[in-house]
Amino acid sequence: MNAALSDRARAFRRNALASIKRFARIFSLILSIILLSAIGKLEPFVDVSAAAGISATHRGDWQLFDDDFATGYLGIGQAWGDYDRDGWLDLYVTGNRDPSVLYRNLGDGSFAVSSLSPQVALVGADTGGAVWADYDNDGWLDLYVLNHGANALFHNEGGAGFRDVTASAGVGDAGKGTTAAWGDYDGDSYLDLYIVNWSCFPECGDPNISRQHDAARDTLYHNQGDGSFADVSHLLDYDLLLGSGFSASFTDYDNDGDPDIYVVNDQFKNMLGNILWRNDGAGCGGWCWSEVSIQAGARTFIHGMGLAVGDYDNDLDLDFYFSDMVNGMVLLQNQGDGSFDDVAAAAGVAVGPSSAVGWGTVFFDYNNDSWLDLFLTATEFVQFDVFSGPEGMMFAYRDFLFKNRGDGSFADVTPAQWLQELRPSMGLAYADYDRDGLLDFVLGNWNQGYALYRNTGAEAAGNNWLNIRLTGGAGINRDAIGARVYIETDDGRRLMQEVKSGSSLGAGNDMALHFGLGAASIAELSIRWPNGVEELLSDVAVNQFLEVRYSP
């Protein structure tokens, strides 16, 4: 009896201490917002990392080698996904040379390191990008992690644990993995996987040896539907897979209903430029792909890093923004006829020429005004001189928050505080983690750690929104990746977003589609499912989290 009472007392004490800690975090968050309001204009985002319990570290190595940026591994990763299906988005971040961490969202604005975190920590591996997806359609999000060396696929065991299935699945691609993207390119309801690898130098040896870029090859895996994958990279032009890749995305750029692939390459060592694989359907010994970047105006030769995909001008096709170093960033406006024009300078988002090294980037509507805004992370490139010391490109620098003006241009609205508190930011992923109708983001800072920024709503007051999560079934992948949602507002505007998993840089944004609506309401909402079926919803209320499951 006494032992039982003692056990209950200890349990009560543990629960009480946990509640006190959660209360302290919430109080700290509220206090920080109150203080910011008291001293002046409330910024659109506030760093709540400490209050939310986010303290994961990142430790990377990047050194000069024979006058080339070659040694070390530019790996960083941050991915949102509800692994335990409790309705709250959890967060996984990679540590590069430090252990990776899985955080469980407690639903009160705070996070705790998951009891399952050790199973996906990858201690001893050099980790990079990460992305969630339900590759076997069992209803639970699985986790893919890119590494310098063999990548890792963790199967979600019904929310109770993770099992490393890399070997049996056949997806242990061994390069310098940067970003992975999921998409069902052949419409068989199972998600396929595209892996982006950066340059293999100096590991790949003598640059005079034939095929010296082989170890940097990107890989396309086809999901066999039985838990395993087949390397089908032979369906693509081999030589065009050998770039120093940083990011990629499955995306239907030509509006023909099937997912294409856009790859952003660094011109380091092997200057291929960016690559656009157009999905041409069945045939060709398995599947037909055409590389069309030149004819589409998308073969850009830059030090490409991150990739944002979205319809920033609300003309119902998808545009690309990607980052560069020193020279200007690129905004490819989709012309609706299969071609693109670079309008970065006219839109006010070129940034360079400057000392900025652009990394992760996303389109997201942070102020819910119905126009996708733009976020870009950056570090600074510094050459050797008597004042700055040794050359490098991972120095602390400002990030960029661009507000979409709705006329094809953007305004730099970067908070003043960010210009004073510089960080070497690389990774970036967004989600509405606290379910308040406002998009937040997590930032990955090179050789430091991760910072969680909560959207204060300071610039979204009075604006309506809709957060819609699609679930596939009956011949459609469960995450409904590749589906599109179209919204017509009661003031005559039309908005479109596409479900995707993987983009930016080593990032997994939340797969739910978040629409800002401004002062408008929804007149009509339609869904184009990946199989081409269109579903029309009427009387959809604003300011809600809507879940729609495919039913044939």
Side-chain angles (χ1 to χ4, degrees):
M1 178 70 72
N2 290 338
L5 288 173
S6 178
D7 288 343
R8 285 199 294 272
R10 283 195 292 269
F12 177 81
R13 183 171 180 271
R14 284 197 301 270
N15 292 335
L17 288 173
S19 298
I20 291 171
K21 289 180 180 178
R22 285 197 294 271
F23 175 78
R25 289 173 179 168
I26 296 171
F27 178 77
S28 175
L29 171 60
I30 294 172
L31 181 61
S32 64
I33 293 174
I34 292 173
L35 289 174
L36 282 171
S37 300
I39 62 176
K41 177 187 175 183
L42 183 62
E43 299 286 11
F45 296 95
V46 58
D47 184 346
V48 297
S49 308
I54 302 297
S55 58
T57 57
H58 177 278
R59 182 169 58 92
D61 182 38
W62 187 245
Q63 301 292 332
L64 290 174
F65 180 81
D66 292 338
D67 298 321
D68 279 326
F69 291 102
T71 62
Y73 174 46
L74 290 167
I76 199 161
Q78 46 285 304
W80 295 98
D82 183 7
Y83 78 86
D84 54 2
R85 286 175 39 180
D86 66 352
W88 296 92
L89 289 168
D90 309 300
L91 176 64
Y92 179 81
V93 294
T94 63
N96 199 322
R97 292 188 171 184
D98 281 350
S100 300
V101 180
L102 175 62
Y103 285 102
R104 181 171 179 266
N105 191 330
L106 300 179
D108 59 3
S110 68
F111 294 78
V113 175
S114 169
S115 60
L116 307 181
S117 187
Q119 299 176 15
V120 292
L122 289 169
V123 176
D126 290 348
T127 54
V131 66
W132 297 93
D134 183 2
Y135 77 91
D136 57 354
N137 293 334
D138 68 350
W140 297 89
L141 287 177
D142 310 295
L143 178 65
Y144 192 77
V145 184
L146 298 110
N147 300 315
H148 182 189
N151 299 336
L153 175 62
F154 294 100
H155 182 265
N156 189 332
E157 304 287 290
F162 289 92
R163 178 167 53 94
D164 188 338
V165 296
T166 310
S168 60
V171 290
D173 190 73
K176 285 186 178 179
T178 49
T179 302
W182 294 94
D184 181 9
Y185 73 77
D186 58 352
D188 65 355
S189 84
Y190 287 96
L191 291 172
D192 310 302
L193 182 63
Y194 189 93
I195 306 298
V196 186
N197 287 311
W198 193 75
S199 173
C200 59
F201 281 86
E203 289 85 352
C204 48
D206 189 339
N208 297 314
I209 297 176
S210 177
R211 292 292 190 202
Q212 72 266 26
H213 300 288
D214 283 4
R217 189 200 77 171
D218 291 351
T219 303
L220 176 63
Y221 287 108
H222 178 256
N223 192 328
Q224 306 287 77
D226 59 1
S228 70
F229 293 75
D231 184 344
V232 294
S233 304
H234 63 274
L235 298 175
L236 307 174
D237 186 326
Y238 183 87
D239 288 335
L240 296 180
L241 294 172
L242 304 181
S244 302
F246 267 116
S247 54
S249 183
F250 280 96
T251 183
D252 183 9
Y253 84 95
D254 53 0
N255 294 335
D256 66 351
D258 55 27
D260 313 293
I261 304 172
Y262 191 61
V263 183
V264 173
N265 284 317
D266 183 358
Q267 64 180 342
F268 177 84
K269 289 295 182 184
N270 196 18
M271 296 178 62
L272 290 182
N274 292 355
I275 300 297
L276 178 58
W277 300 105
R278 188 183 67 204
N279 188 334
D280 289 337
C284 307
W287 206 259
C288 298
W289 298 90
S290 297
E291 204 293 305
V292 296
S293 59
I294 294 177
Q295 66 193 68
R299 178 71 75 88
T300 307
F301 290 85
I302 63 170
H303 290 286
M305 314 293 195
L307 170 65
V309 179
D311 182 15
Y312 82 90
D313 50 1
N314 286 343
D315 65 353
L316 306 185
D317 50 37
L318 294 168
D319 312 295
F320 301 150
Y321 180 81
F322 42 91
S323 50
D324 193 2
M325 63 177 291
V326 180
N327 294 309
M329 316 297 153
V330 179
L331 174 59
L332 293 186
Q333 183 188 55
N334 194 325
Q335 301 303 300
D337 59 1
S339 69
F340 296 85
D341 286 339
D342 182 5
V343 297
V349 293
V351 177
S354 71
S355 58
V357 180
W359 295 102
T361 182
V362 296
F363 284 119
F364 72 145
D365 188 359
Y366 81 90
N367 57 2
N368 286 342
D369 68 351
S370 82
W371 296 92
L372 291 177
D373 309 298
L374 183 61
F375 192 103
L376 170 70
T377 66
T379 58
E380 184 175 22
F381 178 83
V382 177
Q383 292 183 310
F384 180 88
D385 60 35
V386 294
F387 299 105
S388 60
E391 184 179 45
M393 65 177 189
M394 303 308 296
F395 296 96
Y397 199 67
R398 59 163 296 188
D399 294 328
F400 297 83
L401 178 62
F402 294 106
K403 179 180 178 180
N404 193 328
R405 291 190 175 107
D407 60 1
S409 69
F410 293 79
D412 186 346
V413 294
T414 308
Q417 187 175 2
W418 295 5
L419 303 179
Q420 299 168 1
E421 300 174 0
L422 304 181
R423 296 180 179 182
S425 303
M426 285 183 64
L428 171 70
Y430 65 76
D432 183 1
Y433 78 89
D434 52 0
R435 295 179 63 88
D436 63 354
L438 299 162
L439 288 177
D440 318 291
F441 64 86
V442 63
L443 202 62
N445 297 306
W446 173 258
N447 223 0
Q448 292 183 4
Y450 293 86
L452 178 64
Y453 282 82
R454 179 180 180 272
N455 192 327
T456 66
E459 298 187 17
N463 286 340
N464 296 322
W465 54 273
L466 176 74
N467 185 292
I468 179 169
R469 188 177 301 278
L470 304 181
T471 301
I476 293 176
N477 70 87
R478 190 182 184 280
D479 296 325
I481 292 171
R484 286 188 172 188
V485 172
Y486 295 83
I487 289 179
E488 184 173 337
T489 63
D490 61 356
D491 58 4
R493 286 172 295 132
R494 296 202 70 196
L495 314 175
M496 181 273 290
Q497 292 186 34
E498 184 177 84
V499 181
K500 57 181 70 281
S501 176
S503 187
S504 190
L505 175 65
N509 300 314
D510 179 23
M511 286 185 279
L513 303 180
H514 183 96
F515 289 88
L517 300 168
S521 296
I522 299 172
E524 183 177 282
L525 185 151
S526 63
I527 303 169
R528 190 195 75 185
W529 295 95
N531 62 358
V533 171
E534 295 189 5
E535 182 176 354
L536 183 64
L537 303 181
S538 57
D539 300 320
V540 177
V542 299
N543 303 330
Q544 66 160 321
F545 291 88
L546 178 65
E547 297 186 13
V548 181
R549 181 180 295 273
Y550 176 74
S551 55

